Amino acid sequence: MTGTRREAHHPHDPRRIATATTTRRDPIVIVAYDEQWPARFERERRRVEAALHGHLVGRVEHIGSTAIPGLPAKPIIDMMATIADYDTAAGLAADLAPIGWVHAPEPGDEEARKWSFCFPSIAHRSHHLHIYEAAAPGPAILRRFRDHLRAHPELAAEYARLKQDLAADDDRDRPRYRAGKAPFIETVLRRLDEPR
């Protein structure tokens, strides 16, 4: 075994410690819609807006399944904020740390011009914050999907069934869960783009 390989398996290796502290430990559990989700969003919205007041373009928004009344979801409040410039926003983590938010990078963040944070910890989060560059396409897509499901409860119910089935099949495989939802989301967005 080489020295490099030995170091990689050392119990105090910083790479292993980082992995251990950033691994999700919560299973994928879809629960019934909770009337408290909007209030839980609102409490963190106020704190996040105060912490990031020098960076934000507009208000912090409630997105994702918990933002759609009546829709069963993972009990994690998804929030979205926009900033003027992704490349000059490295100080976001320092601004959010005093109120308990943790930088939680996700695959594709840089390509999406996005920063990801969670509260109170990566392993067991209650809130997730996506901070996009205002000019990126992500915010408009997330708003359109949310607003369409809010306006079409039958479509929201179909989405709920899909998520429940995916979680029941494997409640630990997050990449599979996300991939399983993707065709539904893409179909909804494609229909929104079709000429009327």
Side-chain angles (χ1 to χ4, degrees):
M1 183 182 280
T2 67
T4 304
R5 294 183 78 184
R6 231 186 335 268
E7 286 174 15
H9 294 288
H10 190 276
H12 300 296
D13 186 320
R15 289 165 292 185
R16 293 188 69 202
I17 293 168
T19 300
T21 58
T22 58
T23 300
R24 303 266 322 242
R25 306 217 184 277
D26 54 322
I28 303 165
V29 177
I30 307 300
V31 301
Y33 180 79
D34 187 335
E35 298 287 345
Q36 292 301 308
W37 286 342
R40 290 177 56 206
F41 159 73
E42 188 59 29
R43 276 193 301 275
E44 286 306 311
R45 180 197 63 77
R46 288 193 299 267
R47 290 175 5 101
V48 167
E49 285 183 355
L52 297 180
H53 68 276
H55 298 282
L56 296 178
V57 175
R59 305 282 308 266
V60 173
E61 298 181 54
H62 192 181
I63 58 166
S65 294
T66 61
I68 301 164
L71 179 63
K74 298 191 305 294
I76 299 169
I77 308 299
D78 276 312
M79 302 166 60
M80 179 178 70
T82 53
I83 54 174
D85 184 8
Y86 171 83
D87 294 318
T88 61
L92 295 173
D95 291 336
L96 287 167
I99 62 167
W101 281 79
V102 182
H103 187 206
E106 294 189 328
D109 273 0
E110 190 172 350
E111 294 82 3
R113 312 287 287 170
K114 174 172 80 86
W115 298 84
S116 295
F117 294 86
C118 63
F119 176 85
S121 73
I122 293 173
H124 300 285
R125 63 191 73 188
S126 64
H127 292 69
H128 193 167
L129 175 64
H130 311 267
I131 304 179
Y132 283 90
E133 183 176 78
I141 292 168
L142 291 168
R143 287 184 195 108
R144 291 176 74 208
F145 185 73
R146 175 199 64 197
D147 294 348
H148 193 68
L149 263 59
R150 281 177 171 173
H152 297 86
E154 73 291 346
L155 202 56
E158 184 181 339
Y159 188 45
R161 285 190 296 275
L162 170 63
K163 294 192 304 170
Q164 288 163 332
D165 289 346
L166 290 167
D169 285 345
D170 188 337
D171 67 358
R172 296 286 175 176
D173 191 342
R174 290 181 183 279
R176 181 183 173 281
Y177 176 78
R178 284 192 294 269
K181 294 190 304 177
F184 178 92
I185 295 168
E186 289 162 8
T187 298
V188 169
L189 293 171
R190 195 165 47 249
R191 286 177 186 160
L192 288 173
D193 288 334
E194 289 172 356
R196 305 236 169 221

